[in-house]
């Protein structure tokens, strides 16, 4: 699959409320290209609910139901059941939520829907913060990162949501990134063809939230993968496959770049470099990343 | 467009739901068609869908809505797009 082969379908209409350089609309464009117009999306409180823009207009050319912050998966379960009752089973039901709405407040609704084998795709776009409300920490915020609620840098490491999802043993889950649109497209296409619950998480570097300049969204995603801060993989019927550069890192065919190569461009980590380098914290981040990859290797190599 | 008669708030799709977002721009992407190799990277990465993919895989820019983020210029490997400061119209 090359960029040229991706379809022209557009359901994100120009002139939305998204910030310039937004990873959410970048990811959504690929989602709609892969899933097509016969899709219903459920969106809880998050940036995307704002990106939809102001009543009586919306920037999404697709049916969307907005719902309370914690309820994306519950709402999608209801939509799926209603469609099933009406015999409209060719419509793809998608819940699209942020990391706050997934890792934190929406986790019980999500876990319930996965356990009930709801036939839908849950997509989490992970910008590692509560961005819509002005950059607060979430369970996905990495260690050391500044947010308005972690002014000296976060003191805990992020959750491994992928592993929590895997414990549900659903037919398909995957990690992707906005910087790799073909990979994301393939994962969505595959998910669409599988019955039952599917979970896809998309790394979504956010310029205002991470404090980097808006033309660098794609670069920040690539570096997240190349430094091993984020892994691209698919977990299908309990079989794990790593993709792209993440596969090479797993198999030690390439070395992951130092995390510094990724975080030095992000103002949210500036205090780790100025006024002087915080060697201890940088080392803690590197060691934590190494541990994650050693765990992946022990489980999946 | 079909309108629905239900007792809840419904919004309907519209290009430019937040107005002409081209006015947000500080820098304007300028495309040099002679340099373009039709790789479509700018098209796939533009967060606004304001890089228009033409039938022959050349691209054009929708200045009415382009927000000037500069991603298209940054992902173009042959530097066919450059960012130039907007000049205020009188
Ligand atoms: C129950 C409840 N608590 C708090 C809020 C306020 N709120 C709206 S969006 C949001 C943050 C969403 O973060 P995330 O899910 O990561 O999406 P993002 O904004 O980053 O896109 C919060 C706290 C709310 N709408 N409902
Ligand atoms: S804060 Fe980040 S995720 Fe939210 S609209 Fe702006 S760029 Fe997009
Ligand atoms: S990224 Fe550059 S070369 Fe590729 S289509 Fe766009 S302008 Fe042309
Ligand atoms: S500057 Fe940004 S919004 Fe404008 S065309 Fe380029 S990528 Fe799209
Ligand atoms: Mg978020």
């Amino acid at each position: 699959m090359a960029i040229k082969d991706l379809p022209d379908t557009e359901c994100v209409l120009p002139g939305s409320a998204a910030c310039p350089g937004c990873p959410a609309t970048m990811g959504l464009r690929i989602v709609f290209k892969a899933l097509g117009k016969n899709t219903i999306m459920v969106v809880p409180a998050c940036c995307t609910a704002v990106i939809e823009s102001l009543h009586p207009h919306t920037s999404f050319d697709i049916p969307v139901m907005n719902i309370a912050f914690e309820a994306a998966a519950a709402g999608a379960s209801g939509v799926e059941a209603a469609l099933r009752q009406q015999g409209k089973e060719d419509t793809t039901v998608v819940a699209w939520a942020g990391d706050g709405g997934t890792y934190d407040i929406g986790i019980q609704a999500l876990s319930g829907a996965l356990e009930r084998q709801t036939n839908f795709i849950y997509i989490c776009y992970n910008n590692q913060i509560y961005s819509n409300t002005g950059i607060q920490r979430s369970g996905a915020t990495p260690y050391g990162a500044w947010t308005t609620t972690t002014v000296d840098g976060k003191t805990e490491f992020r959750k491994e949501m992928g592993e929590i999802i895997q414990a549900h043993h659903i037919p398909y889950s995957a990690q992707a990134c906005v910087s790799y649109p073909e990979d994301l497209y393939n994962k969505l296409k595959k998910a669409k063809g599988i019955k039952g619950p599917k979970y896809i998480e998309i790394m979504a570097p956010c310029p205002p939230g991470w404090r980097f300049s808006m033309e660098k969204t794609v670069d920040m995603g690539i570096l997240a993968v190349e430094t091993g801060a984020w892994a691209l993989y698919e977990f299908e019927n309990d079989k794990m496959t790593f993709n792209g550069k993440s596969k090479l890192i797993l198999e030690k065919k390439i070395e992951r770049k130092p995390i510094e190569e990724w975080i030095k461009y992000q103002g949210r980590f500036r205090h780790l470099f100025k006024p002087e380098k915080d060697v201890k914290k940088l080392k803690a981040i590197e060691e934590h990343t190494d541990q994650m990859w050693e765990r992946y290797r022990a489980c999946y190599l | 467009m079909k309108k629905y008669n239900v007792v809840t708030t419904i919004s309907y799709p519209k290009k430019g739901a937040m107005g002409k977002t081209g006015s947000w721009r500080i820098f304007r992407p300028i495309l040099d068609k002679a340099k373009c190799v039709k790789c479509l990277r700018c098209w796939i990465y533009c967060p606004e869908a304001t890089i228009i993919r033409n039938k022959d895989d050349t691209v054009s820019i929708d200045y009415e809505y382009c927000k000037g983020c500069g991603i298209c210029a940054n992902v173009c490997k042959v530097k066919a797009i450059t960012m130039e400061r907007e000049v205020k119209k009188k």
Side-chain angles (χ1 to χ4, degrees), chain A residues 2-301:
Chain A
I3 292 176
K4 277 189 195 321
D5 303 322
L6 300 183
D8 287 329
T9 325
E10 292 295 353
C11 299
V12 180
L13 304 176
S16 76
C19 311
C22 177
T25 49
M26 196 184 273
L28 275 168
R29 286 187 63 221
I30 308 300
V31 168
F32 294 135
K33 284 184 191 305
L35 303 182
K37 288 215 167 190
N38 191 3
T39 299
I40 295 182
M41 203 166 77
V42 178
V43 177
C46 61
C47 275
T48 306
V50 175
I51 294 167
E52 286 167 26
S53 309
L54 292 179
H55 177 75
H57 307 304
T58 166
S59 296
F60 293 173
D61 194 7
I62 202 159
V64 174
M65 181 171 86
N66 288 116
I67 200 160
F69 195 14
E70 57 274 58
S77 299
V79 171
E80 189 272 338
L83 289 170
R84 190 157 21 90
Q85 277 303 309
Q86 295 170 40
K88 295 180 184 166
E89 288 180 48
D90 60 332
T91 303
T92 308
V93 178
V94 175
W96 167 275
D99 49 297
T102 303
Y103 283 56
D104 301 336
I105 195 168
I107 194 169
Q108 74 84 17
L110 170 58
S111 178
L114 301 185
E115 185 267 334
R116 290 191 303 272
Q117 296 298 318
T118 303
N119 183 28
F120 79 135
I121 309 176
Y122 188 104
I123 307 175
C124 167
Y125 69 104
N126 178 3
N127 55 19
Q128 303 193 318
I129 31 159
Y130 292 53
S131 57
N132 178 38
T133 38
I135 320 175
Q136 292 82 29
R137 90 193 270 290
S138 80
T141 305
Y143 173 85
W146 164 91
T147 67
T148 55
T149 48
T150 56
V151 286
D152 295 322
K154 194 182 170 191
T155 48
E156 300 80 24
F157 288 96
R158 69 173 172 88
K159 261 187 221 183
E160 281 289 343
M161 194 63 194
E163 292 172 30
I164 296 174
I165 298 295
Q166 284 155 29
H168 292 75
H169 302 285
I170 56 174
Y172 186 79
S173 67
Q175 287 193 173
C177 171
V178 291
S179 309
Y180 299 90
E182 301 102 312
D183 176 75
L184 173 58
Y185 181 87
N186 290 338
K187 285 170 176 168
L188 288 154
K189 272 279 181 204
K190 194 182 270 186
K192 183 177 151 91
I194 296 170
K195 212 172 147 65
K198 286 82 59 178
Y199 177 91
I200 298 178
E201 187 167 332
I202 309 173
M203 178 46 58
C206 163
W210 297 14
R211 300 287 195 247
F212 63 83
S213 56
M214 58 193 173
E215 77 279 6
K216 294 220 152 39
T217 305
V218 175
D219 299 343
M220 285 306 110
I222 290 174
L223 285 170
V225 170
E226 292 185 350
T227 57
W230 187 246
L232 304 176
Y233 64 64
E234 293 177 286
F235 192 69
E236 200 177 348
N237 296 316
D238 285 352
K239 197 181 166 294
M240 184 68 125
T241 316
F242 281 71
N243 316 109
K245 289 243 164 83
S246 301
K247 183 169 160 41
L248 300 177
I249 292 172
L250 183 85
E251 293 170 353
K252 292 194 169 169
K253 290 194 173 135
I254 57 170
E255 237 182 278
R256 65 172 187 84
K257 291 182 178 166
I259 295 285
E260 251 187 84
E261 292 299 310
W262 179 53
I263 65 177
K264 70 182 181 193
Y265 299 105
Q266 302 169 31
R268 63 175 175 164
F269 289 106
R270 186 163 32 224
H271 55 282
L272 297 186
F273 298 95
K274 275 178 189 164
E276 62 212 30
K277 225 172 174 175
D278 193 332
V279 182
K280 228 173 110 188
K281 282 204 175 125
L282 287 168
K283 190 161 170 268
I285 297 174
E286 293 295 359
E287 281 175 0
H288 188 78
T289 313
D290 282 335
Q291 276 168 18
M292 180 179 86
W293 282 97
E294 278 316 316
R295 195 171 63 245
Y296 287 158
R297 287 186 189 108
C299 295
Y300 306 120
L301 255 188

Side-chain angles (χ1 to χ4, degrees), chain A residues 3-4 6 8 13-18 21-22 25-26 29 33 53 55-59 179 181 214-215 218-219, chain B residues 9-18 21 24 38 40 43-49 53 65 67-71 74:
Chain A
I3 292 176
K4 277 189 195 321
L6 300 183
D8 287 329
L13 304 176
S16 76
C22 177
T25 49
M26 196 184 273
R29 286 187 63 221
K33 284 184 191 305
S53 309
H55 177 75
H57 307 304
T58 166
S59 296
S179 309
M214 58 193 173
E215 77 279 6
V218 175
D219 299 343
Chain B
T9 311
I10 292 193
S11 295
Y12 293 90
K14 184 181 187 259
K15 197 174 179 182
M18 295 304 280
T21 49
W24 296 13
K38 304 195 218 178
L40 295 176
W43 168 71
I44 205 67
Y45 285 119
C46 171
E48 297 306 321
R53 176 183 185 175
Y65 298 105
K67 292 174 183 166
C69 68
I71 287 177
N74 200 40

